[in-house]
Amino acid sequence: MNNSFKTALVSFAFAAAATTAVAQDSKSIAIATIVEVPALTETRDGILAALADRGYVEGENLTVDYQNANGNMPTQQQIAKKFVGDAPDVIIPITTPTSQAMAAATKDIPIVFATVTDPIKASLITQYEKPGANVTGVSDAAPIAAQLDMFEEIVPGLSKIGFIYNPGLDNALATLGWIKEEGEKRGITVVESPAPTTNEVILATKKLIGEVDAIYVPNDTTIVAALEAIVKIGQDVDMPIFTGETGGVERGALASVGLDYVAVGRVAGDMAADILEGKSVSEIDAVIAYNVVDHFKVVVNLGAAERMAVKIPESVMSRATQIIE
């Protein structure tokens, strides 16, 4: 065997060993969502950013399968079956219905949910601390106390607030319970106006006119889909419209205090990285994002304020992180 051939053989062996090492170190995750809206795509971006910070980079040593069900639950269930068949190292569902579909599909693959308002009510976990089984994750429950603090600043004497929601959604029911509890402490009555479908949202909104001082639109996919219609009614009758998620302010709502969804995604991404590094999912505490994320977004819409005949006080303007003209 000549020297040049020996050298080539050794080089080939080293290259093959390096390729094998990379293949052995490579990990895979599967991310899914029921729809794509800014808060959810920001969550996905935060997940991938946190994983990259921990050394798991898509296209290098991390394979990412991202799927969007486009609002169709049967499609979501098909995606869940696909993920189980592909057997990724971690499944990361975004939103409550997506997380429920994934949890129903597998009891073996680790699941880290993100943007689930109430994971206990949604039957994803039974407790936050060491939840056991194969599911943990991050709740994106709205910071209701901080929101009501701001609403009272903007609407002095606020005593009744309307709540439009789909009673068939667990996250909406959870938010209703929390806002009622927090409102009771402040002497604020929550007036419910259910809308089981998007087509019923306008009627549900009109029922509140003359009955409340302001309207609150929770992070409820059914209701948020018709947000512009709610905003139009608010403008027509000088009714302040607040949202539980700050993205709604860009769509015409008056104001909101909310989570930074990139930061929420980062929390879920760090949990996924822990699992990729060998930690058992059952030992990772589920968390509520507002307890672990160190800042909130405060977003106000000056154009909406003018059209709803509301003056936003300087105390709110001075701490706004985003002002929409």
Side-chain angles (χ1 to χ4, degrees):
M1 187 181 295
N2 63 46
N3 288 336
S4 60
F5 182 76
K6 286 182 180 179
T7 301
L9 189 61
V10 170
S11 298
F12 175 80
F14 274 119
T19 300
T20 301
V22 170
Q24 289 174 341
D25 291 338
S26 182
K27 301 292 185 180
S28 63
I29 64 169
I31 304 175
T33 183
I34 189 71
V35 291
E36 279 194 339
V37 296
L40 305 183
T41 55
E42 288 171 12
T43 302
R44 179 200 61 200
D45 293 345
I47 290 166
L48 295 176
L51 284 163
D53 287 348
R54 295 281 292 270
Y56 298 101
V57 180
E58 183 178 6
E60 294 182 13
N61 61 347
L62 181 68
T63 300
V64 179
D65 184 357
Y66 173 71
Q67 299 288 333
N68 167 26
N70 293 309
N72 188 289
M73 202 58 204
T75 300
Q76 187 69 90
Q77 291 164 346
Q78 290 172 2
I79 292 169
K81 290 180 181 178
K82 174 187 184 300
F83 284 177
V84 172
D86 293 343
D89 294 300
V90 186
I91 295 174
I92 309 177
I94 301 172
T95 74
T96 299
T98 302
S99 300
Q100 290 172 319
M102 299 301 159
T106 179
K107 304 301 179 188
D108 300 313
I109 300 171
I111 295 173
V112 177
F113 60 78
T115 67
V116 171
T117 301
D118 188 340
I120 293 177
K121 184 178 285 292
S123 300
L124 293 169
I125 58 174
T126 57
Q127 60 189 33
Y128 279 88
E129 187 175 349
K130 292 183 172 53
N134 67 316
V135 181
T136 190
V138 187
S139 162
D140 69 333
I144 296 292
Q147 289 179 344
L148 287 178
D149 283 345
M150 186 178 73
F151 300 167
E152 288 183 291
E153 286 182 77
I154 295 174
V155 184
L158 177 65
S159 63
K160 290 184 177 180
I161 190 165
F163 187 90
I164 309 171
Y165 69 109
N166 177 355
L169 292 182
D170 288 334
N171 63 323
L173 292 173
T175 304
L176 175 60
W178 293 327
I179 197 169
K180 279 186 169 182
E181 181 181 353
E182 191 61 38
E184 187 175 353
K185 298 175 186 176
R186 303 157 184 263
I188 297 174
T189 300
V190 177
V191 181
E192 300 176 40
S193 193
T197 67
T198 300
N199 291 335
E200 297 169 87
V201 169
I202 291 177
L203 180 59
T205 305
K206 289 181 175 179
K207 285 181 178 178
L208 293 170
I209 303 307
E211 302 296 323
V212 298
D213 305 308
I215 290 174
Y216 179 89
V217 179
N219 192 10
D220 174 323
T221 52
T222 302
I223 311 307
V224 169
L227 179 60
E228 283 77 7
I230 299 171
V231 167
K232 177 64 168 58
I233 294 170
Q235 293 172 354
D236 290 344
V237 300
D238 295 342
M239 173 70 69
I241 307 295
F242 297 109
T243 51
E245 197 271 300
T246 57
V249 183
E250 297 183 34
R251 293 170 59 188
L254 181 60
S256 186
V257 178
L259 297 166
D260 178 334
Y261 275 86
V262 173
V264 173
R266 280 185 166 275
V267 177
D270 274 325
M271 290 178 172
D274 286 342
I275 293 167
L276 295 179
E277 291 172 1
K279 191 169 184 178
S280 170
V281 62
S282 65
E283 294 298 308
I284 299 174
D285 293 346
V287 298
I288 300 174
Y290 64 66
N291 287 330
V292 296
V293 172
D294 60 5
H295 64 282
F296 296 138
K297 288 182 176 180
V298 177
V299 184
V300 298
N301 188 321
L302 294 181
E306 182 178 352
R307 289 185 286 272
M308 295 174 191
V310 175
K311 180 173 175 56
I312 299 177
E314 182 56 35
S315 59
V316 174
M317 294 295 295
S318 64
R319 64 179 190 274
T321 57
Q322 183 180 0
I323 298 171
I324 298 165
E325 300 289 341

